[in-house]
């Protein structure tokens, strides 16, 4: 375990006075990973999933961990949770077996003595989680099904926003465009498929896209670079970061943006532009909090209880109602309002 000196990372744009960034390496099996802790809560652990990705450099992996750990702090705060935010990134290395890299990573987690509780993010699945869990007890997501509850939270968000923003009170009349039909996109499709009017889907993985289309044949396949252009009620970025940038914002043809992807905004001024265009942007860390809520419940309780988790996920509705109220009253973008709410809560955490 190697603690990165703040002077080496404080000039990175993503650095937000993070408490700690730790490097976890094992050259024998090709492990190169970083864990970023956004805030230090002393007694309680910090939560955040682990991302396994083909980063081009160590700096890129560190920046992603910094960015995502801050988002996890905000997500936890507005979900009413008492834990800090953290995030881990592992640099994909095709020269070594993935299983060996993950086993070494899980063993390294034990050295953090429970200060970091993690699960799977992009590049990892349930099989990977099971393998890592054999090496470390500080992994969650085996019982709680975080993808399912992320999708449930998205559905609650759709209901709340469409009702409060007068988009459409009838689900059967709603139209959607979903960018990315991976773990969460798939789960969300299962919830809405027979309840809404029309669904456009896209994914960069053609094999995955064809598989999903077979399961949901009434969906309409769209090329990835055109999914944001569809004339729909709700556009859903459910893939990787920065789907909302200077170019794509000009192409939006929707009334609301409600997606599961983390860090959808390339920059905060993009949210302001979306607001000026009269489109309601639901802050990603608010509407995709269902997964975090479910794994925290798994951590806190020995038994799995779906009803208990779903009840907790409903806080997303309450939070969104407050964001909408303040957005209308203060004439500011929902992203600015949500950030301010989260920062106020985080400033009081010890």
């Amino acid at each position: 375990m190697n603690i990165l000196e703040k002077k080496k990372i404080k000039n990175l744009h993503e650095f937000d006075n993070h408490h700690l960034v730790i490097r976890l390496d094992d050259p024998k099996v090709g492990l190169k990973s970083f864990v970023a802790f956004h805030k230090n809560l002393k007694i309680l652990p910090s939560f955040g999933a682990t991302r396994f990705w083909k980063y081009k450099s160590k700096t890129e992996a560190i920046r992603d961990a910094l960015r995502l750990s801050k988002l996890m702090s905000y997500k936890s705060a507005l979900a009413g949770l008492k834990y800090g935010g953290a995030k881990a990134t592992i640099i994909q290395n095709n020269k070594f077996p993935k299983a060996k890299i993950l086993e070494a990573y899980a063993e390294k987690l034990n050295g953090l003595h429970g200060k970091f509780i993690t699960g799977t993010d992009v590049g990892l699945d349930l099989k990977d989680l099971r393998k890592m869990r054999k090496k470390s007890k500080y992994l969650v997501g085996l019982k709680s099904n975080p993808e399912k509850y992320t999708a449930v939270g998205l559905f609650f968000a759709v209901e709340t926003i469409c009702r409060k923003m007068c988009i459409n009170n009838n689900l059967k009349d709603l139209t959607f465009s979903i960018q990315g039909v991976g773990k969460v996109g798939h789960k969300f499709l299962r919830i809405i498929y027979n309840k809404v009017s029309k669904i456009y889907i896209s994914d960069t993985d053609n094999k995955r896209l064809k598989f999903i289309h077979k399961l949901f044949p009434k969906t309409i396949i769209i090329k990835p670079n055109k999914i944001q252009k569809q004339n729909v009620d709700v556009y859903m970025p459910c893939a990787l970061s920065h789907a909302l940038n200077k170019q794509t914002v000009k192409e939006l043809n929707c009334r609301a943006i409600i997606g599961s992807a983390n860090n959808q905004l390339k920059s905060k001024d993009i949210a302001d532009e979306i607001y000026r265009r009269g489109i309601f942007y639901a802050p990603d860390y608010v509407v995709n909090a269902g997964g975090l809520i479910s794994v925290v419940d798994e951590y806190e309780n020995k038994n799995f209880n779906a009803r208990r988790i779903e009840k907790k996920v409903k806080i997303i509705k309450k939070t969104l109602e407050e964001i909408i109220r303040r957005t209308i009253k203060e004439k500011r973008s929902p992203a600015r309002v949500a950030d301010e709410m989260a920062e106020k809560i985080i400033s009081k955490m010890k």
Side-chain angles (χ1 to χ4, degrees), residues 182-240:
K183 291 180 284 189
V184 176
H186 180 187
K187 298 288 186 185
F188 184 76
L189 268 173
R190 287 196 178 278
I191 295 174
I192 67 163
Y193 184 62
N194 291 314
K195 297 178 181 178
V196 303
S197 174
K198 188 180 293 185
I199 308 170
Y200 299 97
I201 61 172
S202 75
D203 202 291
T204 55
D205 185 338
N206 287 325
K207 187 177 179 180
R208 175 73 182 176
L209 193 60
K210 290 177 182 178
F211 168 73
I212 293 296
H213 189 253
K214 282 185 179 180
L215 292 177
F216 307 101
K218 289 188 291 184
T219 56
I220 303 165
I221 293 178
I222 299 294
K223 292 181 179 180
N225 65 344
K226 293 185 178 180
I227 191 69
Q228 73 277 2
K229 300 178 182 180
Q230 304 311 304
N231 185 3
V232 293
D233 293 307
V234 181
Y235 167 51
M236 306 190 72
C238 295
L240 292 175

Side-chain angles (χ1 to χ4, degrees), residues 28-249:
K28 294 179 181 178
V29 296
L31 171 66
K32 293 180 181 179
S33 63
F34 300 92
V35 183
F37 292 83
H38 183 239
K39 296 297 178 186
N40 179 30
L41 301 184
K42 295 182 180 178
I43 298 174
L44 297 173
S46 294
F47 276 73
T50 296
R51 178 169 289 190
F52 187 87
W53 191 245
K54 47 183 182 293
Y55 293 105
K56 296 177 182 178
S57 66
K58 293 176 183 178
T59 300
E60 186 181 30
I62 293 169
R63 294 179 69 178
D64 206 23
L66 290 171
R67 179 169 53 242
L68 291 166
S69 59
K70 177 182 177 180
L71 178 141
M72 291 304 300
S73 283
Y74 282 36
K75 186 182 299 190
S76 180
L78 289 187
L81 304 174
K82 56 189 178 182
Y83 304 96
K87 199 74 176 185
T89 53
I90 301 176
I91 300 174
Q92 184 177 318
N93 189 337
N94 294 328
K95 295 180 181 179
F96 295 86
K98 182 180 181 182
K100 292 295 183 181
I101 294 174
L102 296 181
E103 285 177 5
Y105 169 71
E107 289 175 347
K108 293 284 185 181
L109 288 179
N110 295 328
L112 299 179
H113 307 291
K115 293 299 291 180
F116 177 50
I117 306 298
T118 190
T120 59
D121 196 352
V122 175
L124 299 175
D125 57 25
L126 193 57
K127 290 181 181 179
D128 297 320
L129 182 61
R130 290 193 181 109
K131 291 176 183 177
M132 289 189 289
R133 190 65 174 80
K134 291 178 181 179
K135 299 292 183 179
S136 177
K137 64 181 180 180
Y138 303 119
L139 290 122
V140 287
L142 285 172
K143 299 177 183 177
S144 56
N145 198 337
E147 292 84 12
K148 172 186 174 180
Y149 289 103
T150 300
V152 169
L154 285 178
F155 183 68
F156 288 157
V158 167
E159 286 186 312
T160 303
I161 292 166
C162 289
R163 174 172 50 85
K164 288 288 184 178
M165 298 304 295
C166 300
I167 293 173
N168 206 319
N169 285 324
N170 297 316
L171 275 174
K172 63 182 180 64
D173 296 326
L174 284 176
T175 55
F176 291 79
S177 58
I178 304 176
Q179 179 195 46
V181 285
K183 291 180 284 189
V184 176
H186 180 187
K187 298 288 186 185
F188 184 76
L189 268 173
R190 287 196 178 278
I191 295 174
I192 67 163
Y193 184 62
N194 291 314
K195 297 178 181 178
V196 303
S197 174
K198 188 180 293 185
I199 308 170
Y200 299 97
I201 61 172
S202 75
D203 202 291
T204 55
D205 185 338
N206 287 325
K207 187 177 179 180
R208 175 73 182 176
L209 193 60
K210 290 177 182 178
F211 168 73
I212 293 296
H213 189 253
K214 282 185 179 180
L215 292 177
F216 307 101
K218 289 188 291 184
T219 56
I220 303 165
I221 293 178
I222 299 294
K223 292 181 179 180
N225 65 344
K226 293 185 178 180
I227 191 69
Q228 73 277 2
K229 300 178 182 180
Q230 304 311 304
N231 185 3
V232 293
D233 293 307
V234 181
Y235 167 51
M236 306 190 72
C238 295
L240 292 175
S241 305
H242 299 161
L244 301 171
N245 52 57
K246 290 182 179 180
Q247 179 58 40
T248 57
V249 164

Side-chain angles (χ1 to χ4, degrees), residues 75 79 144-154 284-296 309 312-316:
K75 186 182 299 190
S144 56
N145 198 337
E147 292 84 12
K148 172 186 174 180
Y149 289 103
T150 300
V152 169
L154 285 178
D284 46 25
Y285 58 82
V286 175
V287 299
N288 68 13
L292 174 62
I293 292 168
S294 73
V295 296
V296 167
I309 296 173
K312 291 180 179 179
V313 174
K314 285 184 177 177
I315 193 175
I316 292 172

